[in-house]
Amino acid sequence: MQLKKFNSISKITAIAIVTSNGLYAENYVSVEYLQYDENSNRVSVSAPSLTASYDIGTDYNVKVDFVHDAVSGATPTWKSDTGSGASGKSSNSGDYIYENQSFNEARNAGSVMLTKRFENRDELYAGFDYSRESDFDSKSISAEYMHYTDKSHNQSLNIGISYSFNEILSNKNGKNIEENDDKLRYKDDDDDEREFDSASGASQKEESQSLNIQAGVTQILNDHSVLKVEAFTTLDDGYLTNPHSNIVRNYNSRNQELVTENRPDKRTAYGINLKYITMVGDSVSLKTNYRLYTDDWDINSHTVDGDLYYALNKKITLGAGVRYYTQSEAKFYNKKRDFFTNEKYASSDERLSAFDALTYKANIDFKQSDKISYNLGGEFYSQSTGLDATIFTGGVKYKF
């Protein structure tokens, strides 16, 4: 199901803004658990994770992450309406309904990141990520360099790059599908004819790759605030279609058919990130973030994020926040059953639609001692499409 992957380069950036304040990594082991549940008995995710960080002398740090996701539920897509007498095949005289398609999936993912600190305290980060599920396999490498522009370490520049290579199993793809006994035959965009054995459930392995480049500057404004400005671009190439999302073509005609969606095999995206962190008095801190994203699929999005933290005492810190997200729809998206005919690219995946979303967040951190601390958090996510979700997290961290 192509579950959410680790993102090395974003984790590197998070560390970069911390280290710009002179707070280097520490030795620790942490265990966390995440529970994610959508409304209407849709997706449910249980995800325990383990993280370990260790300083090798004063110049090196290694950080290792591992997570196991167990996912179940259903995702909405077009299906044959078996209740109306439809055969369930790709071409039939029956009807179609937009309904949840059940699935069960598991993912194992891990990452390793090495930090090198130079004599002038510049830092180089290098990471490797691996994620595997039944129909999706991903490997990625990343690197980022952070350079202090002066001896005071009040300003730093960073530039990073990551590359991922993905392998995806798809059961059927493209358009112009024709039935031939137990075979489904189609011609792809290059007019290469391929066959899939619908009786045995045979699948085809597809590939995609993604290149992400980002650069930014972090500036300590005064003794209680810091600002980070960053620009990024992402280049995707290969099989970018969701093999689990279907569309209806030529509805209510002799040639009507239910086929897998078809997306462009390239996407170019770019945007900016603005992050501002400040102390408000002795016990309150504020973290704000704005992200602008745009791509050549005509998706434009804005994210505004704010978190407030209050140190109740030396042991307990309370946090609360809100995030607003909005995006426009992809130029080849439409949810109507009778919309698509001979369009080259077509999708009814709700994630490509126009929607707004609000996330409300709350968390508490409890420091039992200098070595042991606990955290507990909750989020409520509400999307204008009718999707709601709750997220609960809990964990323990041991420093050594």
Side-chain angles (χ1 to χ4, degrees), residues 59-61 114-119 121-126 145:
D59 293 335
Y60 293 92
N61 174 269
L114 178 67
T115 301
K116 161 63 178 174
R117 306 180 186 111
F118 297 93
E119 185 175 350
R121 308 326 284 167
D122 283 4
E123 298 188 358
L124 174 65
Y125 312 92
Y145 188 80

Side-chain angles (χ1 to χ4, degrees), residues 238-389:
Y239 185 77
L240 307 180
T241 292
N242 178 0
H244 305 283
S245 179
N246 299 323
I247 60 166
V248 180
R249 289 192 185 271
N250 304 305
Y251 178 67
N252 208 22
S253 73
R254 295 182 61 183
N255 297 320
Q256 71 175 18
E257 54 187 356
L258 182 70
V259 299
T260 306
E261 69 163 31
N262 189 33
R263 302 184 188 182
D265 58 5
K266 294 182 183 297
R267 177 165 62 175
T268 300
Y270 53 90
I272 59 171
N273 273 311
L274 304 175
K275 181 177 292 187
Y276 176 69
I277 302 174
T278 187
M279 291 293 299
V280 184
D282 296 330
S283 57
V284 178
S285 62
L286 174 66
K287 182 179 71 173
T288 58
N289 187 76
Y290 169 73
R291 181 177 184 266
L292 168 67
Y293 169 94
T294 185
D295 64 30
D296 55 4
W297 289 4
D298 284 357
I299 296 179
N300 302 295
S301 72
H302 303 269
T303 307
V304 181
D305 202 354
D307 295 282
L308 196 67
Y309 299 94
Y310 173 60
L312 184 63
N313 50 48
K314 292 183 179 181
K315 290 183 176 293
I316 299 176
T317 300
L318 305 177
V322 63
R323 178 189 301 117
Y324 174 72
Y325 175 84
T326 182
Q327 75 169 40
S328 59
E329 70 178 29
K331 56 188 175 184
F332 49 86
Y333 168 83
N334 196 286
K335 192 178 178 179
K336 294 181 180 179
R337 176 174 47 189
D338 58 352
F339 182 82
F340 294 115
T341 54
N342 61 351
E343 292 83 2
K344 182 176 182 180
Y345 302 121
S347 175
S348 61
D349 190 333
E350 282 187 349
R351 290 170 294 185
L352 299 181
S353 68
F355 65 86
D356 303 324
L358 274 171
T359 304
Y360 303 94
K361 302 174 283 184
N363 64 278
I364 180 171
D365 288 283
F366 174 69
K367 184 178 179 182
Q368 178 178 321
S369 65
D370 290 339
K371 290 189 174 182
I372 301 178
S373 60
Y374 305 89
N375 67 82
L376 185 66
E379 298 184 12
F380 176 71
Y381 174 86
S382 181
Q383 192 170 289
S384 58
T385 61
L387 170 65
D388 294 333

Side-chain angles (χ1 to χ4, degrees), residues 72-93:
S72 62
T75 184
T77 187
W78 284 105
K79 299 170 58 178
S80 294
D81 185 1
T82 55
S84 66
S87 67
K89 293 183 179 180
S90 62
S91 300
N92 57 69
S93 58

